[in-house]
Amino acid sequence: MGHTHQDQYCMMYSEDETHHPTGFQFISPSVTTYSNFKPSVRLYTLDGMHADSTFRPLNAETFLFDLDRANEKNETVWFKEYDTQTAYNLTWLVPETMHSLYERFTKDKAFFEDTFYKFRYHMIPDKKPLEEAEYRANLCEILTGRSHDPDICKDISLSELHAFQDKNKMC
């Protein structure tokens, strides 16, 4: 995925025939300013500091910086955009639950648009409705950290995916 300034995640799967989820990675939004993107940070809550701790993530909260207010009133204001527990009803951020979230996105386009797609672009008000090819490309990007693997995304061609990535290239 590289340097995107966008809020995303992608899955990793075993390469054997079971193709079960083995990991995921958050691609966190950037505190660096960029056209039409608010500076942002993500804080993680881990299951830690007790005898049976797993140190796995329990929640991720994304905060946005009000750059307009900072420029207009010289005030530093961060506000919470969302957290994974509330937005996605996830209380345990492990490969299996993140894969289940991906599965929900594939079955519920409206939920995808109202959450992941909106958060990816930090609630940009003039973002156009999601077209089918862009929806599939977004799902494909979640599905793999190996974006050039033609065996991963069956619902979108590599040329469609590359066109989407070129159109949405940030840096």
Side-chain angles (χ1 to χ4, degrees):
M1 300 243 178
H3 188 97
T4 70
H5 291 262
Q6 300 169 4
D7 187 341
Q8 301 163 266
Y9 83 96
C10 70
M11 296 296 305
M12 275 73 76
Y13 296 92
S14 67
E15 294 187 17
D16 62 16
E17 64 279 348
T18 65
H19 199 66
H20 66 278
T22 58
F24 70 95
Q25 59 183 328
F26 281 115
I27 295 92
S28 295
S30 175
V31 74
T32 307
T33 56
Y34 198 82
S35 299
N36 297 319
F37 283 86
K38 293 174 172 50
S40 52
V41 296
R42 179 170 292 137
L43 301 176
Y44 298 95
T45 302
L46 304 178
D47 174 37
M49 303 310 290
H50 58 83
D52 297 322
S53 175
T54 64
F55 292 100
R56 288 188 172 180
L58 301 173
N59 194 19
E61 299 172 284
T62 301
F63 293 85
L64 303 180
F65 180 67
D66 189 339
L67 192 57
D68 292 332
R69 188 168 177 174
N71 288 329
E72 292 167 8
K73 298 183 179 182
N74 199 28
E75 294 177 2
T76 302
V77 176
W78 290 89
F79 62 94
K80 185 161 85 171
E81 181 184 27
Y82 78 100
D83 69 84
T84 56
Q85 288 181 354
T86 305
Y88 299 127
N89 197 29
L90 297 175
T91 57
W92 195 241
L93 304 178
V94 295
E96 294 78 12
T97 60
M98 298 306 287
H99 175 76
S100 294
L101 179 61
Y102 166 79
E103 289 292 321
R104 183 172 179 196
F105 289 155
T106 66
K107 294 174 177 67
D108 189 344
K109 185 178 177 185
F111 175 69
F112 177 85
E113 285 188 75
D114 291 341
T115 57
F116 181 87
Y117 186 68
K118 178 176 81 170
F119 302 145
R120 178 175 183 166
Y121 296 103
H122 305 302
M123 301 186 281
I124 297 172
D126 61 346
K127 190 71 180 153
K128 293 179 282 202
L130 188 60
E131 296 175 11
E132 189 62 27
E134 188 173 4
Y135 173 57
R136 292 191 326 268
N138 271 274
L139 292 175
C140 182
E141 282 192 341
I142 293 171
L143 192 58
T144 181
R146 301 183 322 249
S147 61
H148 299 288
D149 185 342
D151 295 326
I152 296 293
C153 297
K154 306 292 186 204
D155 295 334
I156 187 166
S157 70
L158 278 180
S159 61
E160 284 180 300
L161 178 59
H162 293 159
F164 166 76
Q165 290 169 335
D166 287 345
K167 179 180 138 191
N168 291 284
K169 190 176 283 183
M170 299 298 292
C171 295

